[in-house]
Amino acid sequence: MSTVDFLRRDKRWLSGGFLLFLLSCFGQTFFISLFGNDIRAEHGLSHGEFGGLYMAATLVSALVLARTGPAVDRYPARHVVLVAVPMLALGAFAMAASGHVLVLFAAVALLRFFGQGMMTHIAFTVVGRWFTGERGRAMSVSTLGLNAGEALLPLLVVLVAAAVGWRQVWWLGAVVLLVAAFVVAALFRREREPAADTVHDARASAPSWTRRQALRDPYFYLVCLAMGAPALIGNTVFFNQVHLADLRGWPLQVTATAFTVYAVSTVVFNVIGGHLVDRLTALRLVPLFLLPLGGGLLVLGLTDDQWGLFAFMALYGVTNGVSLSLFGATWPEIYGVDHLGAIRSVVVAILVFASAAGPGVSGLLIDGGVGYPHQVVVLGVYCVAVSALMVKVIAHVRDRRHRIAQPV
């Protein structure tokens, strides 16, 4: 089926997935960090204090998500959306009105749980369940919503905040979210039947494991070392983007402009990654997708010139673009789709935990005198090391799929 026919046939569900990923931007670190200097100045917080608050709020959201994530398996997607998106709007309202550090904590917790957590969890789960042989392509189209947000929102936020103030940006965002909740719910009024696929690839889904069985599997945690790396590293770098710009003497507009390079690269490799997943399977790509990010981190940490930032953004876009399809397709290939929401809720909780640990630990290290560029280099080495480990891990996982028909 051609891409045009695919988009026309499944526009309802792909549009809903696109919007969920776009809405998740309100809880993503790259978006919240744009207000980092204003928040720290208004509440009198140091890098380490704000990083610690951010980490604690994100950890709370991760713990709650591990318990509430299976709701996507039990309830229609439309019902879950009508709860999650308005709650994300409440988080935006709380951020706009935050006059005390406790309100700030509650706002960040709501934004992280319902934004980065539930919005992406719902989208990845329902798209992964609704599509089989074309899962990679469906993931790449849906996750373009996140790419669009990363490309457009940083520069837009800088301009609007300069004109009317940073709090007004959050008031406006809350209104947009409330309207969007009903739009997505309407698109998901009817759920897609996977059997409608014209091409079914038996490689796209493994025999179904329960969450308990998956959590007893040591390979689950090893694969998470790779799957969690972009969340850990991306959130660390984006959370400290203003600090890095100050260290290097770069105007904030340069950082915002570099997001466009990152977004374009992500979009291109998101589309490429979706086709590669459908052609090669996600498991074959897992040992490779972190290598561009590792190279970009080494460049960013070792050069003071602005080109290093743009090179990092382009290379990170390669990894991030491919990973968006991998995040949705890897777990069904390992553990099936019957309990995908329950299993993915643990995966997302781990990713959220990683995204919290990065900024929190990095902020404490900065306060302790550890140079941030040195931290970036260490993260680059981590990517290379994990990629090497995944070669053996994925070989064992693929061999296991060939040897057994059902988990034991």
Side-chain angles (χ1 to χ4, degrees), residues 10-364:
D10 296 307
K11 58 182 180 295
R12 168 190 292 272
W13 302 284
L14 295 175
S15 297
F18 179 96
L19 287 175
L20 285 178
F21 279 109
L22 178 61
L23 298 180
S24 79
C25 291
F26 288 95
Q28 299 284 356
T29 296
F30 84 87
F31 187 85
I32 298 174
S33 67
L34 293 169
F35 307 90
N37 279 356
D38 293 313
I39 292 172
R40 288 192 300 104
E42 187 148 333
H43 292 277
L45 301 174
S46 69
H47 286 282
E49 289 169 340
F50 183 42
L53 180 147
Y54 191 84
M55 178 173 66
T58 304
L59 292 178
V60 169
S61 74
L63 293 173
V64 175
L65 181 62
R67 298 297 301 272
T68 59
V72 185
D73 292 331
R74 294 195 293 265
Y75 302 103
R78 177 175 179 270
H79 295 173
V80 179
V81 165
L82 284 174
V83 173
V85 181
M87 290 302 295
L88 179 58
L90 178 62
F93 276 122
M95 180 63 81
S98 61
H100 191 277
V101 69
L102 291 179
V103 179
L104 174 64
F105 178 85
V108 174
L110 286 169
L111 291 170
R112 297 295 282 159
F113 173 60
F114 288 104
Q116 185 197 33
M118 282 302 292
M119 290 300 100
T120 59
H121 175 57
I122 296 168
F124 274 127
T125 301
V126 298
V127 174
R129 180 182 296 128
W130 291 342
F131 294 85
T132 52
E134 295 170 324
R135 183 180 291 131
R137 185 157 52 165
M139 287 293 176
S140 68
V141 172
S142 298
T143 53
L144 287 174
L146 179 58
N147 302 154
E150 291 170 335
L152 301 175
L153 290 178
L155 191 55
L156 181 62
V157 164
V158 169
L159 294 175
V160 174
V164 299
W166 70 274
R167 290 185 183 274
Q168 281 64 35
V169 176
W170 287 104
W171 287 116
L172 178 61
V175 174
V176 170
L177 286 165
L178 288 174
V179 174
F182 296 97
V183 175
V184 178
L187 292 170
F188 284 173
R189 185 175 62 252
R190 180 166 59 90
E191 300 202 359
R192 185 181 190 276
E193 291 294 333
D197 280 330
T198 57
V199 177
H200 177 72
D201 188 345
R203 302 173 304 172
S205 298
S208 291
W209 296 47
T210 65
R211 181 162 79 168
R212 178 174 296 182
Q213 290 170 329
L215 294 181
R216 291 175 177 173
D217 180 23
Y219 294 122
F220 174 84
Y221 303 97
L222 292 174
V223 174
C224 281
L225 290 176
M227 293 292 104
L232 168 71
I233 294 167
N235 279 271
T236 300
V237 174
F238 290 158
F239 188 80
N240 293 294
Q241 60 183 308
V242 176
H243 176 58
L244 180 63
D246 290 341
L247 288 177
R248 299 284 169 78
W250 299 336
L252 188 56
Q253 288 79 1
V254 171
T255 302
T257 303
F259 266 99
T260 303
V261 175
Y262 161 72
V264 171
S265 177
T266 298
V267 168
V268 171
F269 283 91
N270 184 359
V271 174
I272 293 173
H275 285 279
L276 288 175
V277 166
D278 289 339
R279 182 178 295 272
L280 301 176
T281 75
L283 292 179
R284 290 183 181 273
L285 298 176
V286 170
L288 303 174
F289 83 108
L290 288 177
L291 294 177
L293 174 57
L297 288 164
L298 294 176
V299 171
L300 183 65
L302 297 174
T303 181
D304 293 335
D305 295 331
Q306 292 182 12
W307 71 264
L309 173 62
F310 286 90
F312 164 75
M313 287 295 200
L315 290 169
Y316 181 30
V318 176
T319 289
N320 192 53
V322 176
S323 73
L324 291 172
S325 296
L326 290 185
F327 288 160
T330 299
W331 304 107
E333 288 187 19
I334 301 176
Y335 299 116
V337 299
D338 290 349
H339 305 282
L340 184 58
I343 294 171
R344 276 201 53 81
S345 68
V346 178
V347 174
V348 175
I350 292 172
L351 298 184
V352 173
F353 177 86
S355 71
V361 173
S362 179
L364 293 174

Side-chain angles (χ1 to χ4, degrees), residues 342-399:
I343 294 171
R344 276 201 53 81
S345 68
V346 178
V347 174
V348 175
I350 292 172
L351 298 184
V352 173
F353 177 86
S355 71
V361 173
S362 179
L364 293 174
L365 290 174
I366 291 172
D367 286 353
V370 178
Y372 178 61
H374 295 98
Q375 299 180 39
V376 172
V377 172
V378 171
L379 292 173
V381 173
Y382 174 85
C383 287
V384 176
V386 169
S387 296
L389 174 63
M390 286 302 106
V391 173
K392 291 189 175 182
V393 170
I394 296 303
H396 285 294
V397 170
R398 294 180 68 237
D399 180 65

